Amino acid sequence: MSILLTGGLGYIGSHTAVELLEAGERVVVVDNLSNSKKEVADKIKEIVKGKVDFDKQFSLYIGDVRDEKLLSKIFEKEKIESVVHFAGLKAVGESCKIPLEYYKNNIDSTLVLLDVMKKFDVKNLVFSSSATVYGRAKSMPIYEDFPTSATNPYGKTKLFIENILMDLYESDKTWNIVLLRYFNPIGAHDSGLIGEDPNGIPNNLMPYISRVASGKLECLSIFGNDYPTKDGTGVRDYIHVVDLANGHLCAIKKLRTNCGLKIYNLGTGVGYSVLDIVNAFNEVCGGKVKYKFVERRPGDIDVCYACADKAFKEMGWKAKRDLKNMCQTSYNFEMKNKK
Ligand code: NAD
Ligand code: UFG
């Protein structure tokens, strides 16, 4: 049996593919390359070389999840046991500029996927949700039963999809669905072969810092130093992408217990400020990250961190890697892939 990863060549999907392969699972990836490159599959192969029979354990389909014919072909050919649905557009700012693209891509891909899963009687799904569904939480840490809301089209697609999945489960309790709400994934694989490599100027903190450290960008703009936090800069729950990837293995195991519908935060439970991240990164790279303070970024919240106890209690999952490792692996990936 195989596990289908939609968007499996992307940042989180590729790390999850590696962890699944190394755990002995068979992996099938479908990706339309809208935010990734085909070569990522070669990198995955290189990482698992000698440990895994890659050609037997891995299949790749380049195409869109909204292509029902292609998906049906995949389900006919491969014996799919479970699906992890990563595929989607994810940039908050862009989603405000081209909302229809976000609704079309994220919602339609999910509906087509669910239809095909139903047709082939595959009813085990892990969905990539986000801490963004908590909107402005009333207190910290954030628990899974906190009220949800969304402030931008990207966040709304995550919330709609969560609701679609809840309705589906209510209508048919034979589905097993795990909603994983990721906090802020950063870091890269220890090999330096895969990591986060956004096109153009990065929107997110860690890729921006990495590019300042490698000299591709001049200076980091820190958005606001007047938040009610210890040093005035925004606080987030940064989680290493390999820890996050391992959370998906635990979720797959959870599906196999016929778990019904479950929701888990994937975070560390610790909040770091932007200055904490800059300082930790500077220790790793020898002080190359220059920064300046600028206005707050519209839509940003001051503090956001998880309570991740439920994922530990119910799936035995816990983040293991520290901030230094997150910075080291990000820097290593940046330097290895410096163009
Ligand atoms: P990513 O952009 O690196 O990966 C997404 C992949 O999906 C890409 O390879 C892209 O080419 C592919 N894709 C997009 N639309 C597709 C479609 N219609 N058909 C086939 N492939 C398609 O993003 P990521 O950081 O790996 O995120 C994965 C998932 O996790 C996304 O759903 C994202 O919204 C969610 N998420 C990410 C973060 C984060 O900070 N990275 C935080 C919370 C949630
Ligand atoms: N920041 C800067 N300068 C930058 C980029 C970011 O100071 O150039 C600050 C932000 O103001 C914030 C922190 O760094 O305080 C983190 O910002 P990111 O853009 O890296 O991450 P966000 O917390 O804003 O959002 C991310 C994803 C969302 C997701 C959310 C929770 O972009 O899609 O994490 O998972 F919903």
Side-chain angles (χ1 to χ4, degrees):
M1 296 295 276
S2 305
I3 296 164
L4 175 65
L5 309 184
T6 72
L9 294 186
Y11 175 46
I12 304 169
S14 58
H15 288 83
T16 304
V18 167
E19 298 304 309
L20 286 169
L21 288 166
E22 291 185 348
E25 302 286 352
R26 191 167 186 287
V27 171
V28 177
V29 165
V30 57
D31 200 302
N32 67 1
L33 305 182
S34 59
N35 198 33
S36 54
K37 297 187 183 80
K38 208 174 166 198
E39 297 81 75
V40 171
D42 305 326
K43 305 281 171 76
I44 295 172
K45 182 175 181 172
E46 206 177 325
I47 292 171
V48 301
K49 194 170 59 189
K51 295 181 253 183
V52 158
D53 185 348
F54 184 79
D55 295 331
K56 262 200 186 150
Q57 259 180 258
F58 185 88
S59 312
L60 174 63
Y61 295 83
I62 301 299
D64 201 293
V65 180
R66 289 168 291 178
D67 179 348
E68 194 171 344
K69 271 196 185 145
L70 169 70
L71 268 201
S72 294
K73 190 183 112 189
I74 296 172
F75 275 78
E76 262 159 33
K77 233 182 128 201
E78 314 279 353
K79 284 192 169 22
I80 306 293
E81 175 212 289
S82 312
V83 179
V84 186
H85 184 32
F86 295 107
L89 301 175
K90 63 163 185 177
V92 173
E94 188 184 61
S95 80
C96 299
K97 290 188 192 123
I98 49 166
L100 295 184
E101 288 307 310
Y102 273 67
Y103 288 119
K104 269 193 287 188
N105 191 68
N106 295 4
I107 310 271
D108 285 359
S109 65
T110 307
L111 292 176
V112 170
L113 174 67
L114 293 173
D115 262 345
V116 175
M117 288 177 73
K118 207 171 136 194
K119 190 165 90 186
F120 287 86
D121 201 30
V122 176
K123 294 183 174 176
N124 299 313
L125 177 72
V126 178
F127 174 62
S128 293
S129 190
S130 165
T132 195
V133 301
Y134 294 114
R136 286 174 194 277
K138 61 182 187 309
S139 62
M140 294 295 146
I142 295 175
Y143 294 85
E144 285 85 350
D145 60 0
F146 271 27
T148 52
S149 68
T151 54
N152 56 70
Y154 165 71
K156 286 178 192 166
T157 68
K158 291 292 171 195
L159 208 47
F160 287 158
I161 295 168
E162 283 203 358
N163 281 304
I164 289 168
L165 294 172
M166 288 174 194
D167 287 343
L168 175 66
Y169 178 68
E170 276 311 308
S171 74
D172 177 358
K173 298 258 164 80
T174 63
W175 280 82
N176 295 300
I177 299 172
V178 176
L179 309 180
L180 297 178
R181 292 176 177 163
Y182 313 151
F183 281 68
N184 287 53
I186 59 172
H189 193 265
D190 291 331
S191 62
L193 290 169
I194 53 173
E196 191 174 17
D197 186 18
N199 293 326
I201 296 182
N203 298 304
N204 297 116
L205 182 64
M206 195 49 122
Y208 204 108
I209 288 181
S210 302
R211 289 189 189 178
V212 175
S214 67
K216 276 191 232 159
L217 292 170
E218 190 81 16
C219 176
L220 170 73
S221 294
I222 297 184
F223 301 138
N225 61 349
D226 57 352
Y227 283 110
T229 60
K230 62 171 187 175
D231 57 25
T233 66
V235 167
R236 297 288 183 275
D237 187 337
Y238 296 94
I239 171 165
H240 198 293
V241 67
V242 172
D243 279 332
L244 192 71
N246 277 307
H248 295 76
L249 262 70
C250 295
I252 297 278
K253 285 186 191 142
K254 190 77 191 169
L255 291 176
R256 289 176 179 153
T257 66
N258 281 327
C259 62
L261 187 139
K262 298 282 179 192
I263 303 178
Y264 299 110
N265 286 341
L266 295 186
T268 63
V270 179
Y272 286 112
S273 72
V274 178
L275 279 177
D276 287 333
I277 304 291
V278 171
N279 292 335
F281 205 100
N282 270 334
E283 279 192 23
V284 163
C285 73
K288 292 187 218 156
V289 182
K290 280 196 285 174
Y291 63 87
K292 62 180 181 204
F293 294 113
V294 300
E295 289 290 288
R296 291 181 180 192
R297 182 169 64 180
D300 269 359
I301 48 176
D302 49 1
V303 181
C304 176
Y305 60 89
C307 171
D309 292 354
K310 191 178 171 201
F312 182 63
K313 274 192 205 120
E314 297 187 15
M315 301 198 292
W317 175 86
K318 205 176 171 53
K320 292 182 184 140
R321 296 183 180 226
D322 62 13
L323 183 57
K324 189 173 177 196
N325 187 272
M326 298 184 212
C327 294
Q328 246 160 4
T329 53
S330 295
Y331 185 51
N332 181 33
F333 174 73
E334 176 69 21
M335 297 313 278
K336 262 200 154 172
N337 296 279
K338 205 173 159 188
K339 284 153 223 149

